């Protein structure tokens, strides 16, 4: 079985999920991570129901429930209008044991995965291993790090994020676009629940949209993260400055007292999908395969779904089934990345930033009608909670 060892590049949510599912299927795995430890950037914080279902058997879902905050309702709002529609995921309780979003920072998931993997005797992880080259023959792959270390395996999984070296090593095109404006994330201890906000909210405004959600932070009562678009020409240091961030927050929610700021982050945001997820023995998953804006909280979830699909198929191939399964992985996951992940996140941003007053009114009206009609609300939640995309992937032959 050792000759089947799979090399995974990247110890983020996608890489460690693939490692967990492969080792649980008996496949030896080595993860190579360029950082000297696990990455603690909080970035993603929303887990959708299908992701919790996938992680249930391994016990990860139980750990996430111990660490996270349940968010059964989320709101679509107008900045001046207030709540336009409040969606209750409870209406999906007949199809999932997890009819809510679970809010928990992604670095906590990564720590849980690493802890679980550490008990496996067929799992190895190397930190400070910055992969530079990937070569393959008919029999296997060879991966070399910038420190000159070489690793051999049966397949390599590129779970090394948006700038994936594995993707570039195989000359895989990454077509799409980059938004001019960067996204600013301001973290505050202001309690937006007191002001009528649900734990996850999207706020439309033609001048400055925003999205906000509550996360556990360092423990109860938790903190709120507020995402704003920024002026393309603004200097990063000005955008990240706490006084400026507080001013931006106060313009959004007027307050006699300053909002306490605990953190600011700035992200460049792209919409791109790799031209293929497979070249021979090199496979892509997660942000290495697709990147998107964070509105809807889908990138990490999608990467986890890639990783589960890939690990299940790769384990079967390593036990003797046809490599066609890996092409099926490519077709299924790439199709839904384009038809769902890209389409939905691009649309989510357009709705929030709509400047044409008539179109904006129409969007607001659509949201009101959707939430008021049980059949429409259910269809909408099936899509936004990521069930529909997963089912569509299964239909791809
Ligand atoms: C502000 C913001 C909010 C977000 N919110 C959400 C959300 O709520 N829900 C959601 O689903 N998604 C969200 N996302 C998206 C989510 O963060 C990403 O989709 C997710 O991190 C992708 O995971 P990954 O494991 O594929 O890649 P990454 O998390 O980027 O991990 C890649 C790993 O590979 C390592 N690496 C890179 N290059 C090399 C190399 N050459 N050699 C070895 N190791 C290497 C990196 O150090 C890193 O550890 C958000 C993103 C942002 C920016």
């Amino acid at each position: 079985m050792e000759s089947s060892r799979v090399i995974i590049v990247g110890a983020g949510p996608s890489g460690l999920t693939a490692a967990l599912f492969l080792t649980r299927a008996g496949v030896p795995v080595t993860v190579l991570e360029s950082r000297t430890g696990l990455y603690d950037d909080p970035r993603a914080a929303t887990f959708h129901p299908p992701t919790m279902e996938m992680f249930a058997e391994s016990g990860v879902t139980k750990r996430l429930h111990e660490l996270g905050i349940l968010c059964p309702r989320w709101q679509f709002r107008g900045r001046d209008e207030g709540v336009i529609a409040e969606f209750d995921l409870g209406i999906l309780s007949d199809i999932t044991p997890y009819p809510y979003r679970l809010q928990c920072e992604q670095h906590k998931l990564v720590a849980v995965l690493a802890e679980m993997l550490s008990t496996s005797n067929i799992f190895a992880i190397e930190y400070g291993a910055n992969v530079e080259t990937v070569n393959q023959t008919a029999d296997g792959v060879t991966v070399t790090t910038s420190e000159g270390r070489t690793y051999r395996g049966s397949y390599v999984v590129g779970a090394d994020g948006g700038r994936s070296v594995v993707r570039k090593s195989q000359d895989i095109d990454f077509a799409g676009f980059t938004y001019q404006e960067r996204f600013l994330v301001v973290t505050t201890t202001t309690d937006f629940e007191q002001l009528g906000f649900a734990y996850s909210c999207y706020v439309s405004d033609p001048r400055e949209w925003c999205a906000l959600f509550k996360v556990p932070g360092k423990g109860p009562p938790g903190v709120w993260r507020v995402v704003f678009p920024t002026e393309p020409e603004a200097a990063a240091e000005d955008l990240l400055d706490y006084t400026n961030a507080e001013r931006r927050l106060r313009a959004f929610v007027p307050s006699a007292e300053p909002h306490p700021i605990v953190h600011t982050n700035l992200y460049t945001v792209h919409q791109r999908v790799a031209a293929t997820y497979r070249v021979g023995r090199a496979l892509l998953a997660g942000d290495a395969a697709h990147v998107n804006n964070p509105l809807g909280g889908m990138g990490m979830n999608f990467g986890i779904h890639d990783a589960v699909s890939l690990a299940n198929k790769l384990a079967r191939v390593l036990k003797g089934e046809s490599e066609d399964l890996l092409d099926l992985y490519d077709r299924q996951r790439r199709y839904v990345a384009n038809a769902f992940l890209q389409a939905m996140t691009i649309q989510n941003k357009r709705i929030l930033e709509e400047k044409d007053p008539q179109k904006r009114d129409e969007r607001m009206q659509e949201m009101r009608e959707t939430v008021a009609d049980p059949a429409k609300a259910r269809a909408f939640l099936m899509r936004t909670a990521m069930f529909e995309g997963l089912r569509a992937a299964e239909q791809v032959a």
Side-chain angles (χ1 to χ4, degrees):
M1 197 65 179
E2 190 54 28
S3 64
S4 66
R5 182 167 287 272
V6 171
I7 310 289
I8 296 178
V9 185
S14 308
L16 292 188
T17 299
L20 184 74
F21 280 76
L22 281 168
T23 51
R24 282 171 65 83
V27 177
V29 168
T30 296
V31 171
L32 303 176
E33 167 57 48
S34 56
R35 292 174 189 272
T36 50
L38 296 172
Y39 192 19
D40 65 358
D41 183 348
R43 278 190 289 172
T46 299
F47 289 83
H48 291 286
T51 309
M52 292 183 261
E53 290 179 18
M54 287 176 196
F55 276 140
E57 204 182 313
S58 61
V60 174
T61 298
K62 183 167 175 286
R63 291 287 291 124
L64 288 175
H65 278 73
E66 288 159 8
L67 297 167
I69 295 173
L70 300 193
C71 171
R73 296 172 296 107
W74 62 268
Q75 294 171 344
F76 178 80
R77 305 173 68 109
R79 186 150 167 166
D80 297 330
E81 297 86 346
V83 180
I84 302 294
E86 181 168 285
F87 292 95
D88 184 352
L89 281 147
I91 63 172
L92 301 184
S93 58
D94 57 331
I95 61 144
T96 179
Y98 311 105
Y100 40 79
R101 293 175 168 195
L102 187 144
Q103 315 267 112
C104 178
E105 299 89 337
Q106 77 177 55
H107 68 92
K108 295 178 184 168
L109 165 73
V110 165
V112 166
L113 292 169
E115 184 193 312
M116 288 189 167
L117 281 160
S118 68
T119 61
S120 166
N121 59 10
I122 52 172
F123 172 75
I125 185 162
E126 302 245 356
Y127 293 105
N130 180 44
V131 170
E132 224 170 44
T133 61
V134 176
N135 292 303
Q136 55 174 310
T137 62
D139 303 327
V141 294
T142 306
V143 172
T144 309
T145 67
S146 50
E147 302 77 27
R149 277 175 280 160
T150 295
Y151 301 82
R152 292 197 172 77
S154 56
Y155 290 87
V156 60
V157 175
D160 47 344
R163 295 181 188 163
S164 173
V165 165
V166 177
R167 186 187 67 237
K168 290 176 189 161
S169 76
Q170 305 303 307
D171 280 332
I172 299 172
D173 194 25
F174 203 37
F177 64 90
T178 300
Y179 291 106
Q180 268 200 320
E181 70 271 41
R182 287 152 296 169
F183 286 27
L184 175 69
V185 182
V186 181
T187 307
T188 175
T189 52
T190 294
D191 183 3
F192 287 94
E193 190 178 12
Q194 301 285 329
L195 304 167
F197 288 82
Y199 288 173
S200 182
C201 298
Y202 302 95
V203 185
S204 154
D205 185 60
R207 296 147 300 175
E208 186 188 56
W209 56 264
C210 74
L212 62 163
F213 44 100
K214 185 172 179 173
V215 295
K218 292 193 171 126
V223 291
W224 288 75
R225 304 183 75 206
V226 190
V227 185
F228 292 106
T230 63
E231 309 71 26
E233 64 286 352
E237 62 192 74
D238 293 336
L239 295 170
L240 292 167
D241 178 79
Y242 280 20
T243 309
N244 291 340
E246 197 281 325
R247 211 173 288 138
R248 202 181 278 261
L249 212 49
R250 194 138 22 137
F252 170 53
V253 178
S255 155
E257 295 297 316
H259 294 286
I261 308 293
V262 292
H263 205 251
T264 56
N265 289 77
L266 195 60
Y267 297 95
T268 302
V269 182
H270 318 264
Q271 301 281 164
R272 295 177 189 276
V273 179
T276 179
Y277 289 10
R278 178 185 180 210
V279 173
R281 291 177 174 273
L283 299 142
L284 300 179
D287 275 20
H290 44 72
V291 283
N292 57 275
N293 78 56
L295 300 170
M298 285 189 239
M300 173 190 66
N301 285 266
F302 217 86
I304 291 168
H305 302 178
D306 289 346
V308 172
S309 171
L310 175 58
N312 290 339
K313 292 179 173 73
L314 188 51
R316 286 168 59 192
V317 169
L318 288 165
K319 284 173 187 154
E321 289 191 51
S322 164
E323 274 198 322
D324 291 351
L325 280 171
L326 302 178
D327 292 326
L328 180 62
Y329 163 72
D330 165 53
R331 287 195 300 278
Q332 290 183 332
R333 296 305 303 165
R334 200 157 41 82
Y335 166 68
V336 286
N338 282 304
F340 288 83
L341 182 64
Q342 295 297 314
M344 288 166 73
T345 51
I346 290 171
Q347 171 78 349
N348 288 347
K349 182 167 179 289
R350 281 201 189 126
I351 292 175
L352 291 192
E353 69 192 3
E354 183 59 68
K355 293 194 189 321
D356 180 311
Q358 194 190 332
K359 281 194 191 148
R360 187 164 181 271
D361 285 350
E362 284 167 13
R363 300 263 186 262
M364 300 264 184
Q365 192 49 28
E366 265 170 39
M367 282 294 187
R368 288 189 189 98
E369 285 170 14
T370 302
V371 77
D373 177 333
K376 280 189 186 164
R378 188 178 177 85
F380 180 71
L381 288 177
M382 288 295 286
R383 189 171 167 80
T384 51
M386 302 182 79
F387 285 105
E388 195 183 322
L390 268 173
R391 290 179 182 179
E394 289 301 314
Q395 299 306 311
V396 175

